[in-house]
């Protein structure tokens, strides 16, 4: 209670930090809104995207596509009587399982960054690329809203969404080395 954190500031790499703000609880809803680097196309987006996260401020936290996808699920589980920690852990396991990445279920999605150089970073890039492939910013926003609703309600995606993800995986399969090069080039540039 009463810890100081900083106000939101975005740097050139898309990272956010906090200036002096007093939070009454260790948990907060964070929202990141802005342009993003499309690792599939290798360019900055022409439109903005908003991502949300429920986080424990005592941990190092980031807002990313995974925290956005589990936001509604965590919220629903907390409203159902779970503690934040229990809800976050369950939502995390369900989310990584939904993407076939169970080996990362013990990693907190809010601590992952695509520039971390770890296997977890690669998993984040893979999921982000899977969601972005062949979608405009508007289509991506609409798709994310659908995924958040499905996952929030059930802790899983519907069969039709899983089929869409399989089609997206197939579309992305031939572009993996380009995605890798785009990410490396982007972060060397900035």
């Amino acid at each position: 209670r009463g810890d100081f954190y900083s106000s939101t500031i975005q740097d050139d790499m898309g990272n956010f930090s906090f200036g002096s703000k007093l939070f009454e609880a260790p948990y907060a809803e964070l929202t990141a809104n802005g342009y993003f680097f499309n690792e599939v196309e290798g360019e900055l987006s022409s439109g903005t995207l908003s991502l949300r996260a429920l986080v424990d401020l005592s941990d190092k936290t980031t807002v990313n596509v995974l925290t956005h996808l589990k936001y509604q699920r965590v919220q629903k589980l907390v409203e159902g009587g779970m503690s934040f920690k229990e809800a976050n852990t369950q939502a995390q396991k369900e989310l990584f399982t939904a993407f076939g990445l169970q080996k990362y279920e013990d990693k907190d999605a809010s601590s992952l960054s695509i520039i971390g150089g770890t296997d977890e970073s690669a998993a984040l890039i893979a999921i982000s690329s899977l969601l972005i492939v062949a979608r405009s910013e508007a289509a991506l926003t609409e798709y994310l809203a659908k995924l958040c609703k499905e996952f929030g309600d059930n802790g899983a995606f519907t069969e039709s969404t899983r089929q869409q993800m399989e089609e997206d995986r197939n579309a992305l399969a031939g572009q993996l080395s380009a995605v890798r090069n785009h990410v490396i080039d982007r972060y060397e540039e900035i």
Side-chain angles (χ1 to χ4, degrees):
R1 184 163 167 45
D3 291 333
F4 283 92
Y5 295 90
S6 5
S7 61
T8 305
I9 301 168
Q10 182 178 14
D11 66 22
D12 290 338
M13 296 186 59
N15 295 316
F16 292 84
S17 62
F18 297 94
S20 16
K21 293 287 181 190
L22 179 62
F23 291 98
E24 295 295 322
Y27 307 111
E29 176 181 347
L30 300 180
T31 301
N33 182 13
Y35 295 93
F36 62 94
F37 180 70
N38 180 326
E39 63 269 11
V40 176
E41 299 296 324
E43 56 192 39
L44 290 175
S45 63
S46 58
T48 62
L49 183 66
S50 289
L51 299 176
R52 300 185 315 180
L54 292 173
V55 297
D56 180 342
L57 293 171
S58 64
D59 295 332
K60 181 179 176 185
T61 60
T62 62
V63 178
N64 59 47
V65 71
L66 295 174
T67 61
H68 183 73
L69 288 172
K70 71 177 185 169
Y71 173 89
Q72 287 183 21
R73 183 65 177 161
V74 171
Q75 188 175 40
K76 182 176 183 172
L77 294 171
V78 167
E79 289 170 355
M82 281 188 175
S83 71
F84 175 82
K85 186 176 181 174
E86 292 169 329
N88 191 49
T89 298
Q90 179 175 326
Q92 186 121 328
K93 286 181 180 181
E94 292 168 342
L95 184 60
F96 281 112
T97 298
F99 284 105
L101 296 167
Q102 296 87 328
K103 73 183 204 174
Y104 302 112
E105 70 185 26
D106 294 334
K107 303 293 181 186
D108 187 354
S110 67
S111 69
L112 302 183
S113 168
I114 65 168
I115 62 170
T118 63
D119 289 345
E120 294 84 0
S121 300
L124 179 59
I125 293 169
I127 292 169
S128 175
S129 298
L130 180 68
L131 300 177
I132 290 172
V133 71
R135 288 187 176 84
S136 67
E137 286 85 3
L140 176 60
T141 299
E142 183 177 55
Y143 188 52
L144 284 172
K146 174 186 173 188
L147 296 178
C148 289
K149 171 87 171 96
E150 286 179 14
F151 187 76
D153 289 346
N154 306 307
F157 300 118
T158 64
E159 181 59 33
S160 66
T161 296
R162 287 194 305 268
Q163 288 174 349
Q164 178 62 57
M165 286 182 181
E166 185 61 32
E167 291 172 20
D168 293 341
R169 247 185 238 111
N170 292 336
L172 186 61
Q175 300 179 57
L176 296 178
S177 63
V179 167
R180 179 184 182 277
N181 291 335
H182 292 155
V183 171
I184 290 170
D185 292 346
R186 172 66 179 161
Y187 288 98
E188 283 179 355
E189 177 185 310
I190 57 173

